[in-house]
Amino acid sequence: MSNKENTSEEIDLGQLFKMIGDGFKKLFNLIGNIFKGIFHALVLFLQYIRAHFIKFAIAGLVGVGIGWYWDSVSDPIYRSNMVVEPNFNSVQQLYNNIEFYNDLAKEKEFQSLAEALGVEQELASTIKKFKIESFSDQTQRIKQFSDFISQLDTISQQKVDYEDYLKNFNDINSRFHKITVEATNPTVAKKSQRSIIRSIETNEYFQLQKKINELNLSVQDSVLTSQIKEVDSLQGFVKKLKLLEANKAESSTSISMGEGKSDENLEIQLLNQASRFKAEIVALNKERAKTQNTINIISEFPQKGVRVNEFFRKKKVLLPILLIGLVLITLSLLSLNSFLKTYSNTKA
């Protein structure tokens, strides 16, 4: 009986191993067929390129020639960057203004653009593009997340993590933003800088926010200064009491505030409180400096922009690629048309 069971188990195991082997064989054959198909398609494509190589070469040479001439007669493009830090939630207005300038440049509304930027129309006509984007790295985002968390209550802090914060993070949430101007005149960006900033600063809403912020900071500064004076008075009072206690240590009518340790603890507490108030004043001064302007300029536009010399923006590079692509599409459509005609005749 046991011999039959062993034989049956050996047969089952043999069938199992055979099935596994067949499965691997099919998998390897499938992978091999895929690679063969890719190789075959590559060979056909290379044969197709070889058959029409002269056409592609002519298209490429024509594109290089036209592109080189186009580059030589075109005015060079200069790029200027400025990094700013908007305050009082003015970043959305800044983005809207930059998009408005860019639309005017695209539509060639140079008179309106010149009026908006406070420059001559001739200078405004040299502007090709306006762009604004966030300017932040991982360190800045972590710091912004820390500042955001510190403003929440304990329960809300437990419900928000860094990953959730990043999912809802967009360009407007960034602290710094980079404004880019591309123009054929290298100085137009610098001449437009003041008007770009003033377009935000002259906004009545932001002016009101700035005024309220200054009043709030002044009130906080007065309160902290008053509290520091009170702490200084208490420290002087404690010192006088200690002197009285030292002079009348043996008198039964001496004024006492308790044990020496209590006096020391009180002095330490007053010193710590004074240090905290002074630290708050330092932070207040930093906040006052940061919010002195509606838009803080971190890095101004340079006096002259940098010439744009990117490889894939050159016409002598783009045109050959474009013409070769057009030739490839045209020949492919012709080949497809011939195949369809042959296929139709065969079926008929």
Side-chain angles (χ1 to χ4, degrees), residues 22-144:
D22 291 341
F24 276 111
K25 185 177 180 181
K26 290 179 180 178
L27 177 62
F28 290 140
N29 288 336
L30 176 63
I31 295 173
N33 290 332
I34 291 173
F35 279 107
K36 286 179 181 178
I38 294 173
F39 178 74
H40 181 66
L42 180 61
V43 170
L44 290 176
F45 178 74
L46 292 176
Q47 287 178 340
Y48 182 80
I49 295 296
R50 187 183 67 175
H52 301 285
F53 179 76
I54 295 177
K55 299 182 183 69
F56 291 128
I58 292 173
L61 290 174
V62 170
V64 170
I66 296 175
W68 178 84
Y69 175 76
W70 195 347
D71 285 333
S72 64
V73 298
S74 299
D75 293 327
I77 303 294
Y78 298 91
R79 180 183 294 152
S80 302
N81 295 319
M82 176 172 64
V83 179
V84 297
E85 179 188 21
N87 292 317
F88 314 121
N89 297 319
S90 60
V91 61
Q92 183 62 66
Q93 184 63 51
L94 179 64
Y95 269 71
N96 291 341
N97 288 4
I98 296 301
E99 289 175 5
F100 172 67
Y101 301 149
N102 188 53
D103 289 340
L104 290 178
K106 280 184 178 179
E107 298 298 327
K108 300 185 185 232
E109 296 288 342
F110 298 126
Q111 183 176 353
S112 299
L113 184 60
E115 292 174 358
L117 298 178
V119 297
E120 298 84 359
Q121 185 173 341
E122 184 180 354
L123 270 179
S125 64
T126 65
I127 297 175
K128 302 300 181 184
K129 182 180 180 182
F130 269 93
K131 182 182 176 183
I132 184 169
E133 58 187 341
S134 64
F135 187 76
S136 63
D137 55 19
Q138 189 71 9
T139 303
Q140 292 174 4
R141 292 184 180 183
I142 292 173
K143 187 178 184 304
Q144 285 182 260

Side-chain angles (χ1 to χ4, degrees), residues 16-279:
L16 177 62
F17 285 127
K18 186 177 183 303
M19 290 174 62
I20 293 173
D22 291 341
F24 276 111
K25 185 177 180 181
K26 290 179 180 178
L27 177 62
F28 290 140
N29 288 336
L30 176 63
I31 295 173
N33 290 332
I34 291 173
F35 279 107
K36 286 179 181 178
I38 294 173
F39 178 74
H40 181 66
L42 180 61
V43 170
L44 290 176
F45 178 74
L46 292 176
Q47 287 178 340
Y48 182 80
I49 295 296
R50 187 183 67 175
H52 301 285
F53 179 76
I54 295 177
K55 299 182 183 69
F56 291 128
I58 292 173
L61 290 174
V62 170
V64 170
I66 296 175
W68 178 84
Y69 175 76
W70 195 347
D71 285 333
S72 64
V73 298
S74 299
D75 293 327
I77 303 294
Y78 298 91
R79 180 183 294 152
S80 302
N81 295 319
M82 176 172 64
V83 179
V84 297
E85 179 188 21
N87 292 317
F88 314 121
N89 297 319
S90 60
V91 61
Q92 183 62 66
Q93 184 63 51
L94 179 64
Y95 269 71
N96 291 341
N97 288 4
I98 296 301
E99 289 175 5
F100 172 67
Y101 301 149
N102 188 53
D103 289 340
L104 290 178
K106 280 184 178 179
E107 298 298 327
K108 300 185 185 232
E109 296 288 342
F110 298 126
Q111 183 176 353
S112 299
L113 184 60
E115 292 174 358
L117 298 178
V119 297
E120 298 84 359
Q121 185 173 341
E122 184 180 354
L123 270 179
S125 64
T126 65
I127 297 175
K128 302 300 181 184
K129 182 180 180 182
F130 269 93
K131 182 182 176 183
I132 184 169
E133 58 187 341
S134 64
F135 187 76
S136 63
D137 55 19
Q138 189 71 9
T139 303
Q140 292 174 4
R141 292 184 180 183
I142 292 173
K143 187 178 184 304
Q144 285 182 260
F145 174 71
S146 178
D147 294 338
F148 172 74
I149 284 293
S150 64
Q151 298 173 3
L152 302 178
D153 55 68
T154 306
I155 297 176
S156 299
Q157 288 178 358
Q158 295 174 354
K159 294 181 179 180
V160 180
D161 58 20
Y162 183 64
E163 296 299 327
D164 292 332
Y165 178 77
L166 284 183
K167 287 178 182 178
N168 297 293
F169 189 91
N170 55 44
D171 289 344
I172 294 179
N173 297 132
S174 298
R175 180 180 175 186
F176 302 112
H177 302 268
K178 182 170 70 173
I179 300 172
T180 302
V181 177
E182 292 185 2
T184 56
N185 186 296
T187 63
V188 65
K190 185 65 175 179
K191 293 178 180 179
S192 305
Q193 176 178 306
R194 182 175 177 80
S195 296
I196 293 173
I197 300 301
R198 280 181 59 82
S199 67
I200 304 297
E201 291 182 338
T202 54
N203 184 292
E204 292 183 1
Y205 173 77
F206 300 131
Q207 286 181 337
L208 178 61
Q209 293 298 312
K210 182 174 177 292
K211 184 177 180 180
I212 292 173
N213 182 72
E214 290 172 351
L215 290 174
N216 290 338
L217 292 177
S218 296
V219 170
Q220 292 179 39
D221 184 69
S222 299
V223 170
L224 288 172
T225 302
S226 176
Q227 289 175 330
I228 289 175
K229 288 180 180 178
E230 290 177 4
V231 171
D232 289 340
S233 298
L234 285 173
Q235 287 177 323
F237 180 67
V238 170
K239 288 179 181 178
K240 288 179 181 179
L241 288 179
K242 290 186 72 174
L243 287 174
L244 288 173
E245 289 178 354
N247 293 332
K248 300 180 180 181
E250 297 178 357
S251 173
S252 58
T253 59
S254 63
I255 301 174
S256 176
M257 291 185 64
E259 299 296 331
K261 290 184 178 179
S262 299
D263 293 346
E264 291 177 2
N265 289 337
L266 180 58
E267 283 189 283
I268 292 172
Q269 289 176 9
L270 291 173
L271 285 171
N272 290 338
Q273 191 63 45
S275 298
R276 283 195 290 270
F277 287 150
K278 290 175 181 177

